[in-house]
Every structure is written in C-alpha cells, then in structure tokens.
Amino acid sequence: TPMTPQQPAPSVLVEAGAHAAAGQAAVVRVHLRNLDTTPREMTLTVLGLDGEWLPVPVRTAPVAPDATVSVDLPVRVGPGAVPGDYPFALAVQSHAPGAGGPAADGALTMLEGSVRVDAPSTVVLGIEPADSTAVVGRRVAVVIANSGAQPVSLELSAQSAKGMRVE
C-alpha cells in the first residue's frame, strides 16, 4: 500500500506571562499557524496540570493555509494554590475540517508553557510623619501600598482618643 505523506505540523507559540491569583483564571494565549496547503482545524489540549485547572480541549474553526489564529485558554487556578510557576504541556493536532476529531493524518505539535500563581496581595498602611504631636491640630498623611499584582478593595476608618477629632 502506498504511504501518504504526513501533513506538516502546525507552528505554535505560547505567549509567556500567563498568571492569576489562587482561585482565579489565568489566560494562556496561543498563536497557531497552519503550514499545510489546505485548510486545517486544530485541537488544543493542555496536559500536566491538576485536573480542576485544566481547560477543556479547544477546537478551532478551519484555518486557511499559511494563516495564523490566536486562541485564549482559560486555566482555572485552584483555590489555595501555592505561589510559583506551574509548567504544562500543550498538544496541538491538526485535522481535516469537519472530521470527527484529530485524524490519523493529523500532525501533532507538542510544546511547554507555564502559568504563574501570584503571591497574595499584602497591603501596608503607614502614617507620615510617624511621630506626630500637636496642641491645636496637625495634618498627617495616610500612605497605603499594595504589593500584589491585583487591585484590592479596602475600607478605612479612624478612631480617636477622648478629646481628639479625626477628619
């Protein structure tokens, strides 16, 4: 029986920098280029992460020859995940449009990526000047800093000793 030539494997690039805090979703952006001479659909499957983190396999619409498409894969970082980098493997298999799934003639590309779990935000509050005394009144600045990558909602209130007023 004659051998059919293997289809060219798609070119795949995983953008670096996907990150999220524990309990949030990180978006992994993947760029796919069809190197075949015919339109091909591509199925993306993430491997190697905890089961609850894994996105379902994604199938693209037909990609024209020599065309590039971008796909966003949501990775659901588990609550309580320890901050750090979590590597994964990405399998991209091309197949003929309308085929039930990746076919025997489909070319496979495997590559690595990673998702960073951000450290929780630490909010620091300070009063400047730190040592303040006054007889009639004194203005001080309340300085708030957030060390995390995500915005944090805060509610501030002040209480004063008897005979003092805070505005």
Side-chain angles (χ1 to χ4, degrees):
T1 59
M3 297 276 297
T4 56
Q6 178 72 18
Q7 301 294 329
S11 172
V12 182
L13 171 70
V14 177
E15 280 189 15
H19 68 95
Q24 303 295 316
V27 176
V28 177
R29 177 160 284 175
V30 181
H31 304 284
L32 309 162
R33 184 172 173 209
N34 178 9
L35 299 178
D36 201 345
T37 57
T38 61
R40 303 293 282 178
E41 291 178 356
M42 297 181 207
T43 301
L44 294 80
T45 307
V46 176
L47 307 164
L49 293 174
D50 287 345
E52 68 181 28
W53 293 30
L54 293 174
V56 296
V58 173
R59 185 174 179 165
T60 68
V63 179
D66 202 35
T68 300
V69 296
S70 297
V71 176
D72 288 342
L73 299 173
V75 174
R76 295 175 302 277
V77 176
V82 176
D85 290 324
Y86 291 80
F88 61 84
L90 177 66
V92 179
Q93 188 162 22
S94 69
H95 43 90
D105 74 337
L108 178 67
T109 300
M110 295 279 297
L111 68 153
E112 296 177 354
S114 69
V115 171
R116 172 169 277 283
V117 175
D118 298 331
S121 294
T122 301
V123 176
V124 178
L125 182 133
I127 306 289
E128 294 180 2
D131 185 19
S132 296
T133 59
V135 174
V136 177
R138 173 81 188 235
R139 180 174 293 259
V140 295
V142 177
V143 179
I144 301 171
N146 175 9
S147 68
Q150 300 296 321
V152 176
S153 296
L154 299 173
E155 183 176 317
L156 296 177
S157 63
Q159 294 181 341
S160 63
K162 189 170 185 167
M164 294 180 65
R165 187 181 75 207
V166 177
E167 292 180 344

